[in-house]
Each structure stands twice: as structure tokens, then as C-alpha cells.
Amino acid sequence: MTLDIRPFDEAEIDEYHELRLALYRHDFPELPTPTREATVSTLSRHGDRLLWTARRDQRVVGKVSVLLLDDNEHLAVVDVAVLPELRRQGIGTALLDFVLPHVRDRGCTVVEGGYVKLDGPGGSWTRNRGFREVQSTILQILELGEVDRARWAVDTPEGYELVRWRGHVPDELVASYAEARRAIADAPWGESAEHPPDWTVERVRRIEVERREQGIDLRTVAAVDTHGTVVGLTEAEARPKDPTRLMQGDTVVLKAHRGHGLGVAMKAELLRWFTAEHGALEQAWTRTAAANTYMADVNHRLGFATVGRYGAVAGPIGTIGSEFRPIVGSDGGNPDCYAG
Ligand SMILES: CC(C)(COP(=O)(O)OP(=O)(O)OC[C@H]1O[C@@H](n2cnc3c(N)ncnc32)[C@H](O)[C@@H]1OP(=O)(O)O)[C@@H](O)C(=O)NCCC(=O)NCCS
């Protein structure tokens, strides 16, 4: 039966949302199912995102999306998904094969997938299509209606001041803020091919404009030392079409200032500030490398619970999809590939 793969059209938003609901219920039962607004919000998300849907007999049966990241021209972050009841019929592979020439034409050499349950169908499929695990991540969620907010009553460590802003970094801090953001390179990246972006003042200002144009409430809490230099920061965003969910962004503390409690103090202040002004918020979400135990512990202290563990997988273009040929008997071969 033929598969009709076309660019996503806004007229199919309801069917696309139904597909997402089916996927969440089947593959991610640990997560709340997305609202229609949240689905719309993911569609308008920042970055260069390309999305196609696949139809069979007029019905939306799968999707593939590609996210192209700043300063990562070699990399395509791809997400393939198929209706649970129509799996093992080659639809997932057809979607991946369809998208590979598109990303190759854009100069990408590596494909990565982010949220894969390695012990589920996503893990079996990605291994059988030439991907290997490059990073393990955890998702942590804070239930804002249930948390004991006394956890957020944290003193600011001596010798530092917490400075906060909405949307626009104050001019006198922007240079050291951009510099501090580079410290995200210290986070464990596993074997992911993704490079941390090149943080410059221009990049900071460009992102501020993008967020403002999208109506996103982006807030930052920074730790500033006695010289007036930003030595740590944390940020989160509330998106207009996803009003119940706060999305945590980067948190960093420069090496020389770690171990003083700045991470907890900054994040606690950010939570106090957002929740005071966004009454509709129900949850805060954050994702971090499983190896990043310091960050995970900070989040636990503030009331976050770890709800899921996911793998990031990657493969070079030319060796993935239906082109993948396992090398039977070599050390690199995956036992799953010999099955059947
Ligand atoms: C991963 C996913 C897209 C696969 O879609 P699909 O249409 O079932 O995939 P295919 O039919 O092309 O599978 C091709 C091969 O992968 C392997 N495979 C796929 N699902 C498998 C499973 N559940 N168990 C074992 N092997 C599996 C098999 O070798 C299969 O070939 P076979 O059926 O001839 O044995 C689908 O399971 C899904 O939507 N999962 C949730 C989202 C996800 O994890 N996406 C991956 C992130 S990029």
C-alpha cells in the first residue's frame, strides 16, 4: 500500500495531534499527554524545524521531523514516529529514507535522534537501522501544585548577588553573560556529535529578539560576583501556547565558583519568580545528561522527580536507514541485527 509523504500542512493539525496522543499513550505513558495547545506550541518552536507527515489510505500514520541546530551544520536531529498499530510494516524506515537526501543536501553528515527508549521499539528500530547510543539523558518534572515550596527558600551564597531579567540582558552584563554561557561545554555531552553553540553577544541579542517575536517569556537569574561579572546563570521559558509548562533552559556555574550552592540558589529564585507571576503553570520540565549527577541532585533538592530515562542515538549518513548493513561477526555488530 503506498505511503504519501508530504510537508506538514496546518490543515492537518488535528490529525497530527491525534498521532502525538497515540504515541504518548503507547510509548511514553510516564509523561502527561500533550494538550492540543502544546502540540501547536511544538510546531512553532524556535530553530529550523522541518516536518513531514505520512498518509496511507488518506490517514496520517507517521511523521518525521528534522531540527537543524545553530553552529552544527553537520548535524540533523531527526525524529521518526509511526502509529503503534501500524508498526513493523516498513513505515518508519520509509520515513527515515525519505528524509536522508534532504538533510544530505543541506550538508549534514550525521543524524541523531533524541528521545529513544532503548529497551523499547525505538531502541530496536534504531539499532537495526544503523544507529548507536551516544548519550543517555533523564527527564525531570516538578509538579508545581504539589511541591513543598519551602524547598525554594534558599539563601544567596556570600560574595554573590543574584540579578534577574526578563528577555533582555542588561548591557553592562551582556559580555560576561555570553562568556559564562560557554561553560555549558563542561556539561557531559557523551559521544553526541552536537557541539555547544558559539556564544557571542550577537547570538545572545539575536535569540532575545526571536523569543520576543514568538511571545515567549524568557527569564534569567544570574549570579554576579563582587567585580560585577556574571559567574553563573539559569534560565527558563514560558511559552504562550503551552501555558501550564515551564521549560528549563541552560544552567551553568563557572568552574571557579562551583560547590558554593549557586546552582540551587539561582534555580530556586527562578522558580519563585515564575510561579509568582504565571499562575497557570502546573509543571516545570528539565532534561539533563544522566551522567550529570550534580545537576540532577540540584533539581531533586528543589522538588523535581526523575520520570524517564532516554537514549540519544546517532549514525553517519550513508550507513543508516535501509542502507544499513550489519557487519556480522565484527565487534561493532549489534546482536539485535542478526535476529530474523
Ligand atoms: C521506531 C519506530 C518509528 C519504528 O517504526 P516502524 O514503522 O515499526 O519501523 P519499520 O517497520 O521500518 O522497522 C524496520 C525494522 O526495525 C526493527 N524493529 C522495529 N521495531 C521493532 C521492535 N518493536 N522490535 C524489534 N525490532 C524492531 C526490525 O528489524 C524491523 O524490521 P522487521 O519488521 O522486518 O523485522 C516506531 O516504533 C515508533 O514510532 N516508536 C516510537 C518513537 C521512536 O522511538 N522513534 C525513534 C526516534 S528517532
Side-chain angles (χ1 to χ4, degrees), residues 194-261:
E194 183 181 344
H195 305 147
D198 183 20
W199 281 102
T200 59
V201 171
E202 293 66 40
R203 183 168 205 274
V204 170
R205 294 298 187 214
R206 177 168 52 78
I207 290 175
E208 287 175 357
V209 171
E210 283 171 14
R211 296 297 189 278
R212 198 167 51 242
E213 285 172 356
Q214 291 163 338
I216 290 172
D217 184 359
L218 168 66
R219 300 185 186 198
T220 307
V221 173
V224 176
D225 70 4
T226 48
H227 306 289
T229 303
V230 172
V231 299
L233 61 100
T234 186
E235 61 180 41
E237 52 186 56
R239 300 171 182 164
K241 297 196 180 89
D242 193 5
T244 60
R245 196 159 55 141
L246 180 68
M247 303 301 281
Q248 174 72 51
D250 283 357
T251 299
V252 297
V253 175
L254 295 188
K255 264 199 186 104
H257 302 270
R258 292 180 190 157
H260 301 302

Side-chain angles (χ1 to χ4, degrees), residues 138 140 188 288-300:
I138 54 171
Q140 297 180 299
T288 190
N292 201 344
T293 49
Y294 291 124
M295 192 74 268
D297 287 348
V298 164
N299 295 332
H300 281 138

Side-chain angles (χ1 to χ4, degrees), residues 19 23 26-28 61-65 77-84 86-96 111-118 120-129 131 311 313 336-337 339-340:
L19 171 68
L23 294 168
H26 187 269
D27 299 299
F28 303 103
V61 296
K63 60 135 185 169
V64 57
S65 67
V77 180
V78 171
D79 187 34
V80 180
V82 175
L83 268 183
L86 295 177
R87 293 183 181 168
R88 306 298 293 268
Q89 299 177 23
I91 298 174
T93 304
L95 281 162
L96 178 63
V111 169
E112 284 198 10
Y115 272 98
V116 181
K117 282 201 167 161
L118 295 172
S124 305
W125 179 74
T126 50
R127 283 190 290 274
N128 281 295
R129 289 297 171 255
F131 293 85
V313 297
D336 280 4
C337 302

